[in-house]
Amino acid sequence: MWLALAPLLATPLAACSGGGSQGAAASPPHVIDASRLVHTSAAAQTDPGKPFTVTVQTGGSLTDVTLSGPDGRQVAGVLDADGHGWHTTGPLAPGTHYTARIAATDGHGGRGETTADFTTEQAGRLLTATLGPDLGRDTYGVGEPLTVQLSEAVTDPAARREVEQSLTVSSQPAVVGAWYWVDGKNLHFRPKDYWPAGAKVKLAWNAQGRSIDGQLYGGAPSSLAFTVGDRVEAIVDAASDQLTFKRNGQVVNTIPVTTGKPGFDTRNGIKVVLGQERQVQMSSETIGIAKGSSEAYDLKVEWATRVTWSGEYVHAAPWSVASQGVDNVSHGCTGMSTDNARWFYEQTRVGDIVQVVNSKGHPMEPFGNGFGDWNLSWTDWLKGSALGRSVTTDAPPETVSAAATLRPQV
């Protein structure tokens, strides 16, 4: 860390007279050595979690202060109302060299400029955040939660609050939502109700330089944004063996289906579409059914829409058409005719809702087997927030997206 204060000489400013009886010109301001007038925290500025400050001696005032990193980007700051002080409001990055350029007056017609340099300490550890959804899509369904995966576990309640406060969710229109800590490294955000159709959503991680927990500091910022599509909901009734397809509250189609038979009952509850595969190989061994047993299968399945990581799909099942709308004969998936499965596939997207009712199966897991977030009541969801409260989003986002790949599980 080093400090340099040096006067920057400026060409005296010329002033034009508007005319007067004597035609006298105003005296130009004289250049002063601003380094003698200005004081900064640069000499002791090593902690990136503390603001950088600038003050001026009594009688003087600051006219301009900029603080820039090596990439030329300026750190946000604010000038005190009386003009005697300035401090950063934006974060400082660990292990980074900064240069401040400061302009001041002495109150007696003198003006000058000076600079101050400092380098922040390298943080012991940096906490980075991988944001989701990260499938490289511009549009998702109304059930898609926002996700954050941290680079290391955060368990201290105060540190978790710092993390939540470093995450900004904005949407247009605004919604009421909250974060939920799935575990020490993973957080989900969902609105109280589904996202509004057509909403513009943005998620940003803004913790750079922020002290999270002792020597753990926030790493590089990141963000993503997407648009919400129509409100698409598929309600699968395991008792009537019918799928009711709704778009924006209106019933569009009713499809005969078959769901899980006894012992393989389909999970009850709300699920979110995770991905779609034009064709997928499904093997009973992936769900614990031994090869060669009476329940074994190994099939190439078409028009498959995934709703759990453990292997539940809505897909074409031409072998069970006679049972569709009549009986439940599958191993847990929702089966339908090939034509109906293709129609369903083409009408849905990642993030749409598939809700199963009246099944004798276990309830959908809230976490770990897809996105079962919506199966928690709002009261229980709020209990998972370190801040213990909801937030209201309101700012319009920019469009950002990132690419990733779904796990090819069956």
Side-chain angles (χ1 to χ4, degrees):
M1 187 278 296
W2 59 282
L3 165 68
L5 282 174
L8 298 178
L9 298 181
T11 301
L13 300 177
C16 295
S17 170
S21 59
Q22 304 300 319
S27 300
H30 58 276
V31 177
I32 62 172
D33 181 357
S35 65
R36 298 180 178 275
L37 188 67
V38 169
H39 302 281
T40 78
S41 62
Q45 192 71 40
T46 58
D47 186 349
K50 295 181 179 180
F52 171 73
T53 61
V54 181
T55 57
V56 67
Q57 289 182 8
T58 302
S61 62
L62 299 170
T63 59
D64 186 56
V65 180
T66 60
L67 182 68
S68 304
D71 58 1
R73 293 187 181 183
Q74 294 185 6
V75 180
V78 63
L79 187 68
D80 295 347
D82 59 9
H84 295 160
W86 183 94
H87 65 274
T88 54
T89 56
L92 301 175
T96 302
H97 182 79
Y98 290 96
T99 298
R101 297 185 179 277
I102 306 158
T105 64
D106 61 3
H108 302 288
R111 299 182 182 181
E113 296 183 1
T114 188
T115 63
D117 293 79
F118 64 91
T119 300
T120 55
E121 288 182 340
Q122 182 65 52
R125 305 187 320 279
L126 291 179
L127 186 69
T128 58
T130 301
L131 310 182
D134 57 358
L135 303 181
R137 300 169 186 262
D138 295 324
T139 306
Y140 291 86
V142 298
E144 186 71 18
L146 302 176
T147 64
V148 175
Q149 184 176 50
L150 302 173
S151 56
E152 63 178 87
V154 175
T155 57
D156 179 74
R160 286 190 170 190
R161 289 192 290 272
E162 288 290 340
V163 169
E164 285 191 37
Q165 290 170 344
S166 300
L167 292 163
T168 302
V169 180
S170 54
S171 70
Q172 192 178 36
V175 300
V176 173
W179 288 101
Y180 189 102
W181 286 80
V182 178
D183 54 39
K185 296 179 69 173
N186 293 280
L187 300 81
H188 289 189
F189 180 96
R190 51 157 272 210
K192 183 178 181 180
D193 302 305
Y194 299 142
W195 293 105
K200 306 291 185 182
V201 181
K202 182 178 180 181
L203 168 62
W205 165 250
N206 302 296
Q208 187 172 46
R210 189 170 185 166
S211 177
I212 303 297
D213 187 7
Q215 288 301 304
L216 180 65
Y217 288 85
S222 57
S223 65
L224 60 79
F226 61 89
T227 299
V228 178
D230 289 341
R231 178 170 175 146
V232 170
E233 302 165 87
I235 295 88
V236 179
D237 190 332
S240 66
D241 293 311
Q242 298 291 322
L243 182 152
T244 303
F245 189 97
K246 294 181 179 181
R247 185 179 295 278
N248 297 324
Q250 301 297 313
V251 175
V252 176
N253 200 356
T254 302
I255 300 172
V257 298
T258 182
T259 64
K261 59 187 175 181
F264 299 93
D265 300 275
T266 306
R267 288 170 176 80
N268 262 313
I270 301 172
K271 304 159 193 177
V272 175
V273 172
L274 302 174
Q276 294 178 295
E277 297 165 72
R278 172 63 181 82
Q279 192 175 80
V280 61
Q281 192 74 27
M282 292 190 179
S283 171
S284 58
E285 292 182 84
T286 64
I287 60 170
I289 300 175
K291 185 176 182 180
S293 73
S294 61
E295 297 291 350
Y297 59 87
D298 191 2
L299 299 169
K300 191 168 288 185
V301 176
E302 294 188 301
W303 307 112
T305 298
R306 182 193 283 273
V307 293
T308 74
W309 292 126
S310 61
E312 278 190 33
Y313 286 83
V314 178
H315 65 74
W319 54 84
S320 66
V321 169
S323 298
Q324 292 164 17
V326 179
D327 196 11
N328 293 319
V329 299
S330 83
H331 288 87
C333 291
T334 298
M336 59 185 66
S337 71
T338 301
D339 287 345
N340 283 333
R342 178 173 182 172
W343 182 90
F344 183 86
Y345 182 102
E346 292 174 345
Q347 295 295 315
T348 55
R349 60 165 48 96
V350 172
D352 285 344
I353 297 297
V354 175
Q355 182 175 6
V356 177
V357 298
N358 297 323
S359 172
K360 296 178 181 179
H362 295 294
M364 174 62 181
E365 304 92 333
F367 308 106
N369 194 20
F371 294 134
D373 307 48
W374 302 99
N375 295 289
L376 288 181
S377 69
W378 185 241
T379 299
D380 287 339
W381 186 267
L382 289 176
K383 292 176 182 177
S385 166
L387 295 174
R389 57 177 172 80
S390 60
V391 296
T392 301
T393 65
D394 55 10
E398 300 173 356
T399 300
V400 182
S401 62
T405 304
L406 273 173
R407 292 180 289 173
Q409 296 185 0
V410 296

